[in-house]
């Protein structure tokens, strides 16, 4: 561990050549990755019709993607401790783009699901490796701005994806959604040239630990969507085995010390709650706009886009504020904006699609600001030897929560099939309100703990 810390310090001091160009490259790639996720939300009604799927089965296009995305994110983060990060970027992009090319020829639900999983295995690497790269090479005084740029790219992808996806689904057919993601293939030479060259380091990958956490999360989500007791049992057993494994393995998949870091866990809970609300909303909004307000796919995308565009614009200024004033104020007040947005959705979702557009603007801005600050705070909170594993674990928890949110939302819609759509959607947002309240409690607890640590000993 000490050797890795020394190497990291040397790397941080060397910095990144053409830092602005690298940040632009990362941002562009993340936009394409997030668009790949969001475009298929608008294609779900067409895919369900083409393959005669139920709502629960259709949700697995999103849920399965999210599970593999989550496992991929922490896997690549963990590998970055000893495998050159440039090599990992290239492998991830190739998996994403090759999956996209195969997706053009998918002619069954099974093939489509396999292709999406292959894409997710590469897509999950990009945001995770980007955060590791920034934490490793960008000095603290500029890191807030860099983190905000990454999060603004996420926000732009969240908004631009539905617009592009809506246009393609409506006029060209959902198969051609894969063309957008295939563009990432042309970025490989740029990554080979611009990402810092590193030497391989000694280390081993805990494949068994990765298998246990993958089976565990999948089992729990299968139980939620299909109510399979066998899946629940397999998931719980695998999680227990994962806990045992990381305590005994020489190079565990997740560092056990992270679970002993109370501040990290509490702060992570805030980010997880924010991601769950955002991802569940982005799963629900296209269905609300198409089924309840009878908008076309492209019209639904245009309703979603302003919120993401506004978040992208604001996040640039937020990055400067983080670098100048720190993260405390953002972590203290922004969850309140998120709470306001879910309550407004619960109250006014059934009024008009214009109300949905403006409420989502509030949610998108609060989510982007909050996650930018949390990612930056974690890069300061964790030891250099913990950053890759810690940020990977945080992303694993985020994406698992997103998959959980989609699965729970799909199940909630089935449970409420006899209610009017507006009432069913409203009830889901009242449930999300409770989650945000818990996030606010965690934010307060984190800030109090950091305040106590900052006080001089008596």
């Amino acid at each position: 561990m000490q050797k890795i810390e020394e190497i990291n310090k040397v790397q941080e001091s060397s910095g990144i050549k053409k830092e602005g160009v690298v940040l632009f490259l990362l941002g562009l790639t993340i936009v394409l990755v997030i668009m790949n996720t969001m475009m298929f939300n608008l294609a779900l009604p067409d895919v369900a019709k083409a393959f005669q799927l139920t709502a629960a089965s259709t949700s697995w296009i999103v849920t399965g993607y999210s599970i593999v995305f989550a496992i991929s994110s922490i896997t690549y983060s963990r590998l970055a401790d000893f495998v050159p990060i440039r090599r990992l970027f290239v492998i991830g992009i190739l998996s994403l783009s090759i999956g996209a090319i195969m997706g053009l020829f998918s002619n069954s639900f099974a093939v489509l699901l396999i292709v999406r999983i292959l894409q997710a295995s590469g897509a999950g690497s990009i945001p995770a490796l980007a955060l590791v790269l920034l934490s490793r090479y960008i000095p603290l005084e500029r890191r807030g701005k860099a983190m905000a740029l990454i999060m603004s790219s996420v926000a732009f992808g969240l908004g631009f994806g539905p617009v592009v996806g809506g246009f393609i689904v409506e006029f060209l057919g959902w198969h051609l959604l894969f063309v957008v993601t295939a563009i990432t293939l042309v970025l490989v030479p740029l990554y080979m040239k611009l990402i810092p060259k590193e030497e391989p380091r000694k280390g081993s990958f805990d494949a068994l630990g990765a298998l246990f956490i993958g089976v565990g999360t999948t089992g729990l989500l299968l139980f939620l969507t299909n109510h399979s007791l066998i899946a629940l049992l397999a998931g719980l057993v695998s999680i227990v085995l994962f806990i045992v494994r990381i305590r005994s393995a020489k190079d565990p998949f997740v560092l056990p010390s992270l679970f002993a870091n109370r501040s990290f866990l509490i702060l992570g809970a805030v980010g997880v709650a924010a991601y769950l609300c955002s991802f569940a909303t982005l799963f629900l909004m296209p269905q609300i706009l198409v089924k309840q307000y009878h908008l076309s796919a492209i019209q639904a995308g245009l309703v979603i886009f302003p919120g993401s565009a506004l978040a992208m614009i604001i996040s640039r200024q937020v990055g400067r504020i983080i670098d100048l004033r720190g993260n405390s104020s953002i972590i203290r007040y922004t969850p309140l904006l998120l709470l306001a947005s879910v309550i407004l959705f619960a109250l006014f979702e059934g009024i008009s699609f214009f109300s949905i557009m403006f409420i989502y603007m509030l949610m998108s801005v609060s989510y982007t600001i909050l996650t930018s600050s949390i990612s930056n705070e974690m890069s300061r909170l964790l030891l250099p030897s913990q950053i890759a594993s810690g940020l990977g674990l945080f992303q694993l928890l985020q994406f698992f929560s997103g998959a959980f949110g989609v699965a729970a939302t799909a199940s909630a819609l089935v449970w409420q099939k006899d209610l009017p759509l507006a009432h069913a959607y409203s009830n889901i947002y009242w449930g999300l309100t409770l989650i945000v309240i818990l996030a606010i409690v965690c934010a307060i607890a984190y800030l109090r703990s950091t305040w106590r640590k900052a006080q001089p000993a008596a």
Side-chain angles (χ1 to χ4, degrees):
M1 289 298 182
Q2 185 178 359
K3 185 177 180 181
I4 292 176
E5 291 180 19
E6 292 172 356
I7 293 173
N8 284 343
K9 289 178 181 179
V10 172
Q11 291 172 339
E12 288 168 2
S13 65
S14 64
I16 300 176
K17 296 179 181 178
K18 298 183 179 180
E19 184 177 303
V21 178
V22 170
L23 290 175
F24 175 80
L25 178 62
L26 291 174
L28 174 61
T29 311
I30 288 173
V31 167
L32 293 171
V33 165
I34 302 301
M35 283 178 62
N36 180 54
T37 303
M38 295 311 305
M39 289 187 300
F40 266 88
N41 282 2
L42 289 171
L44 292 181
D46 285 39
V47 171
K49 184 177 179 181
F51 299 128
Q52 298 180 336
L53 304 173
T54 64
S57 297
T58 307
S59 71
W60 269 97
I61 298 175
V62 178
T63 303
Y65 184 95
S66 299
I67 292 170
V68 177
F69 196 110
I71 300 299
S72 172
S73 67
I74 190 171
T75 297
Y76 277 89
S77 294
R78 194 71 183 91
L79 288 171
D81 279 334
F82 49 88
V83 178
I85 198 167
R86 180 168 66 180
R87 185 184 304 172
L88 295 175
F89 268 119
V90 171
I91 293 171
I93 293 172
L94 287 176
S95 299
L96 174 63
S97 56
I98 290 171
I101 294 170
M102 292 173 58
L104 289 168
F105 308 100
S106 55
N107 56 6
S108 69
F109 175 63
V111 173
L112 175 62
L113 190 58
I114 291 170
V115 165
R116 290 291 287 167
I117 287 173
L118 176 59
Q119 282 194 297
S121 69
S125 70
I126 307 302
L129 292 175
L131 292 179
V132 173
L133 185 72
L134 299 186
S135 299
R136 186 175 291 177
Y137 288 100
I138 303 294
L140 282 173
E141 61 269 18
R142 297 197 305 274
R143 194 177 298 165
K145 183 179 178 181
M147 291 285 188
L149 186 144
I150 295 301
M151 294 306 164
S152 70
S153 300
V154 172
F156 187 77
L158 291 173
F160 197 52
V163 175
V164 175
F167 177 85
I168 293 174
V169 169
E170 189 166 343
F171 296 109
L172 302 174
W174 62 265
H175 277 91
L176 291 181
L177 293 173
F178 289 105
V179 173
V180 177
T181 317
I183 295 172
T184 55
L185 186 62
V186 304
L187 301 178
V188 171
L190 295 175
Y191 274 90
M192 293 293 293
K193 181 178 180 180
L194 295 171
I195 299 300
K197 184 178 180 180
E198 299 175 344
E199 294 297 326
R201 298 187 290 275
K202 290 184 178 180
S204 60
F205 180 69
D206 182 15
L208 196 57
L211 176 64
F212 286 148
I213 192 62
V215 173
T217 53
T218 303
L220 294 180
L221 289 169
L222 275 173
F223 169 72
L224 186 62
T225 54
N226 298 337
H227 311 293
S228 169
L229 293 177
I230 294 176
L232 175 62
L233 180 62
L236 293 175
V237 170
S238 295
I239 289 175
V240 171
L241 291 174
F242 170 75
I243 294 171
V244 173
R245 174 66 183 177
I246 64 173
R247 291 177 178 274
S248 59
K250 181 180 179 182
D251 293 307
F253 187 62
V254 176
L255 297 177
S257 58
L258 293 171
F259 294 101
N261 189 332
R262 184 173 178 271
S263 296
F264 168 76
L265 294 177
I266 293 174
L267 183 62
V270 181
V272 164
Y275 191 88
L276 190 154
C277 292
S278 177
F279 208 73
T281 295
L282 288 165
F283 172 73
L284 276 177
M285 281 179 66
Q287 299 186 60
I288 293 172
L289 296 170
V290 172
K291 294 181 180 179
Q292 188 173 341
Y293 293 103
H294 309 293
L295 300 184
S296 66
I298 191 170
Q299 288 172 331
L302 290 171
V303 171
I304 297 170
F305 179 70
S308 298
L310 180 61
M312 181 189 68
I313 294 169
I314 290 178
S315 65
R316 294 178 178 274
Q317 183 61 36
V318 169
R320 297 187 183 96
I321 294 173
I322 291 173
D323 287 335
L324 289 173
R325 301 182 181 179
N327 301 291
S328 296
S329 296
I330 292 174
I331 294 172
R332 178 178 293 110
Y333 297 115
T334 308
L336 298 175
L337 298 179
L338 189 64
L339 177 63
S341 68
V342 292
I343 291 176
L344 290 172
F345 264 123
L347 293 173
F348 301 113
E349 171 278 326
I351 301 298
S352 75
F353 66 83
F354 286 108
S355 64
I356 292 175
M357 181 176 69
F358 287 111
I359 296 169
Y360 180 65
M361 291 171 71
L362 177 61
M363 174 177 280
S364 181
V365 168
S366 58
Y367 164 75
T368 304
I369 292 173
L370 186 59
T371 52
S372 297
S373 185
I374 288 174
S375 296
N376 181 264
E377 182 73 5
M378 282 186 171
S379 72
R380 298 167 181 257
L381 176 67
L382 298 172
L383 297 172
S385 60
Q386 295 177 322
I387 285 178
S389 184
L391 292 177
L393 176 61
F394 176 55
Q395 293 217 323
L396 171 69
L397 295 174
Q398 277 191 308
F399 293 122
F400 173 76
S401 74
F404 177 86
V406 169
T409 298
S411 296
L413 290 174
V414 173
W415 299 333
Q416 301 179 91
K417 61 183 178 180
D418 296 328
L419 293 178
L421 283 176
H423 290 174
Y425 294 137
S426 179
N427 289 339
I428 290 172
Y429 277 104
W430 284 122
L432 292 177
T433 298
L434 298 177
I435 292 174
V436 179
I437 290 173
L438 291 175
I440 292 172
V441 172
C442 289
I444 293 171
Y446 174 77
L447 293 172
R448 285 184 175 177
S449 67
T450 54
W451 180 82
R452 291 193 192 99
K453 291 178 181 177
Q455 298 304 304

